[in-house]
């Protein structure tokens, strides 16, 4: 069990706690999540996509964004959109110590955790704040220029401005072209937001960041939302990710994965089974009887399988796997 994620009673009465209170319960919930959530580390400096915050707090996308904005305005944390990294500014001081001395093993732990962070705009600021109390030796992040760059000539400025305008115009055209390939990009209804949240959760869970929310996937998720709550559909995605068979892990390593949106949400039976998988605890290695029954069921296409962690796959599902 980790020995950080401690929350002092003073959190609610201190300056930051009072500032968070002004921004509503969403800000307070997100602040607590950022200190105690499953992705947090002792530095309070880590990767956490907004979709994780929305799902794991139960606030939904709108509530999570509102809460995160409140945390930033209250100067509780910084959040970088590009790297999806959060820095809870004072968390390291409360979770590690005000000062580390001598051969404290946490000195090395802090430096290692810092070195393993993805690139983001706050690396240099974190080092400048904690280098002395934590005896940190290696600094990351761009150095601020010691002198101002020389001012370009008027003709150079004009060329730079024209180049920037052209680049911005190209980026805008590319973004529009990409949006036109997606369905519902102009839809701001709560249902559309739920579809996008569920798809983003699937992208993160299945490690498929380049997958696109095309018309087929949009319709599949939208149809599933008529029968299930967004949380249940996210649980189904999580359940699929726990199945060695569907994720091609373990003895199934090297085989095709069956973890597509079309398969997970194919019908109520599949959704229910995957939701059940999400709630199961690890039960140990597969027994000989379970293995024999599973292999027999795969060969015969019957119901002899007793292993609840494997769901029957037919050729039609293989076609839906993406």
């Amino acid at each position: 069990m980790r020995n950080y994620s401690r929350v002092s009673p003073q959190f609610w009465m201190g300056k930051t706690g009072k500032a968070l209170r002004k921004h509503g319960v969403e800000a307070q919930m997100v602040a607590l999540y950022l200190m105690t959530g499953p992705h947090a580390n002792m530095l309070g400096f880590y990767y956490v996509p907004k979709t994780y915050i929305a799902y794991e707090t139960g606030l939904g996308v709108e509530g999570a964004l509102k809460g995160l904005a409140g945390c930033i305005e209250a100067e509780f944390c910084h959040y970088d959109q590009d790297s999806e990294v959060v820095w809870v500014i004072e968390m390291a001081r409360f979770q590690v110590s005000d000062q580390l001395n001598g051969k404290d093993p946490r000195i090395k732990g802090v430096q290692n955790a810092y070195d393993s962070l993805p690139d983001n705009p706050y690396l240099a600021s974190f080092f400048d704040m904690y280098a002395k109390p934590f005896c940190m030796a290696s600094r990351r992040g761009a150095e601020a220029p010691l002198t101002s760059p020389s001012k370009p000539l008027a003709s150079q400025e004009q060329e730079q401005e024209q180049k920037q305008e052209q680049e911005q115009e190209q980026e805008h055209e590319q973004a529009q072209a990409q949006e036109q390939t997606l369905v519902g990009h102009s839809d701001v209804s709560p249902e559309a937001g739920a579809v996008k949240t569920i798809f983003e959760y699937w992208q993160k869970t299945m490690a498929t960041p380049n997958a696109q929310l095309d018309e087929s996937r949009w319709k599949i998720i939208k149809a599933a939302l008529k029968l299930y709550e967004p949380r249940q559909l996210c649980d189904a995605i999580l359940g699929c990710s726990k199945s060695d068979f569907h994720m091609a892990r373990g003895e199934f390593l090297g085989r095709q994965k069956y973890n597509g949106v079309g398969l997970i949400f194919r019908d109520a039976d599949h959704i229910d089974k995957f939701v059940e998988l999400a709630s199961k605890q690890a039960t140990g290695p597969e027994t000989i009887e379970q293995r024999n029954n599973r292999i027999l069921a795969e060969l015969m296409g019957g119901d002899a399988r007793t292993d609840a962690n494997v769901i029957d796959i037919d050729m039609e599902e293989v076609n839906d796997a993406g």
Side-chain angles (χ1 to χ4, degrees):
M1 183 176 180
R2 65 191 189 187
N3 58 358
Y4 53 91
S5 297
R6 301 185 298 271
V7 179
S8 168
Q10 296 299 319
F11 167 77
W12 301 102
M13 299 175 287
K15 178 181 177 181
T16 304
K18 291 179 179 178
L20 288 168
R21 191 187 312 156
K22 293 179 181 178
H23 291 283
V25 67
E26 293 90 351
Q28 292 176 310
M29 175 66 79
V30 170
L32 284 173
Y33 170 81
L34 294 177
M35 290 189 291
T36 63
H39 314 288
N41 59 21
M42 63 181 175
L43 305 184
F45 197 8
Y46 56 95
Y47 170 78
V48 58
K50 288 176 287 187
T51 52
Y52 288 9
I53 302 173
Y55 175 64
E56 291 171 345
T57 61
L59 291 172
V61 175
E62 184 177 352
L65 293 179
K66 179 181 178 182
L68 183 59
C71 289
I72 295 170
E73 290 179 18
E75 299 183 350
F76 174 78
C77 69
H78 297 300
Y79 188 87
D80 178 49
Q81 305 284 352
D82 294 331
S83 63
E84 298 181 297
V85 167
V86 69
W87 176 25
V88 182
I89 302 167
E90 296 285 343
M91 184 167 168
R93 183 167 68 87
F94 287 100
Q95 304 301 327
V96 181
S97 176
D98 286 328
Q99 182 77 41
L100 297 178
N101 298 309
K103 297 182 179 179
D104 193 315
R106 290 176 294 177
I107 294 174
K108 184 176 180 180
V110 167
Q111 185 69 57
N112 288 341
Y114 173 78
D115 291 341
S116 67
L117 289 169
D119 290 337
N120 65 81
Y122 314 123
L123 290 166
S125 298
F126 181 91
F127 183 90
D128 294 342
M129 182 173 182
Y130 288 109
K132 185 175 180 180
F134 291 165
C135 304
M136 297 177 68
S138 177
R139 185 179 191 268
R140 296 175 60 195
E143 294 282 354
L146 297 178
T147 58
S148 300
S150 59
K151 184 176 180 180
L153 300 176
S155 59
Q156 291 178 319
E157 288 182 341
Q158 292 174 357
E159 289 176 0
Q160 288 183 354
E161 289 177 358
Q162 291 175 355
K163 185 177 180 180
Q164 289 176 353
E165 290 177 358
Q166 291 175 354
E167 290 176 350
Q168 291 174 355
E169 185 176 352
Q170 289 176 354
E171 290 176 358
H172 180 67
E173 290 176 353
Q174 291 174 355
Q176 283 186 325
Q178 184 177 8
E179 284 184 348
Q180 289 173 358
T181 65
L182 305 180
V183 179
H185 64 275
S186 60
D187 190 345
V188 294
S189 66
E191 183 183 52
V195 170
K196 293 175 183 176
T197 298
I198 291 165
F199 179 74
E200 289 174 2
Y201 185 76
W202 175 81
Q203 280 183 305
K204 299 288 185 183
T205 304
M206 301 303 177
T208 56
N210 296 325
Q212 297 296 319
L213 182 54
D214 59 10
E215 183 176 2
S216 175
R217 286 171 171 155
W218 182 279
K219 289 181 178 179
I220 290 168
I221 298 174
K222 186 176 180 180
L225 281 168
K226 294 180 180 179
L227 300 175
Y228 294 88
E229 295 294 326
R231 177 178 290 273
Q232 293 174 300
L233 298 184
C234 288
D235 283 342
I237 294 169
L238 180 62
C240 180
S241 72
K242 289 186 175 183
S243 169
D244 287 349
F245 180 85
H246 293 85
M247 299 301 295
R249 292 190 301 253
E251 65 177 297
F252 305 104
L253 187 65
R255 299 187 184 183
Q256 181 179 347
K257 291 183 179 181
Y258 301 107
N259 63 344
V261 171
L263 188 146
I264 298 173
F265 301 144
R266 181 179 179 185
D267 51 37
D269 183 56
H270 281 74
I271 295 173
D272 290 342
K273 289 181 179 179
F274 282 126
V275 169
E276 184 180 358
L277 272 182
S279 64
K280 284 186 175 294
Q281 299 295 326
T283 56
E286 183 181 43
T287 66
I288 294 176
E289 180 182 2
Q290 288 174 329
R291 178 181 174 84
N292 290 339
N293 283 331
R294 174 176 51 75
I295 294 173
L296 178 61
E298 289 173 355
L299 293 174
M300 303 300 295
D303 297 325
R305 181 178 296 134
T306 59
D307 185 357
N309 290 331
V310 179
I311 298 176
D312 291 327
I313 298 295
D314 59 28
M315 290 308 297
E316 186 177 353
E317 287 182 329
V318 173
N319 294 330
D320 291 338

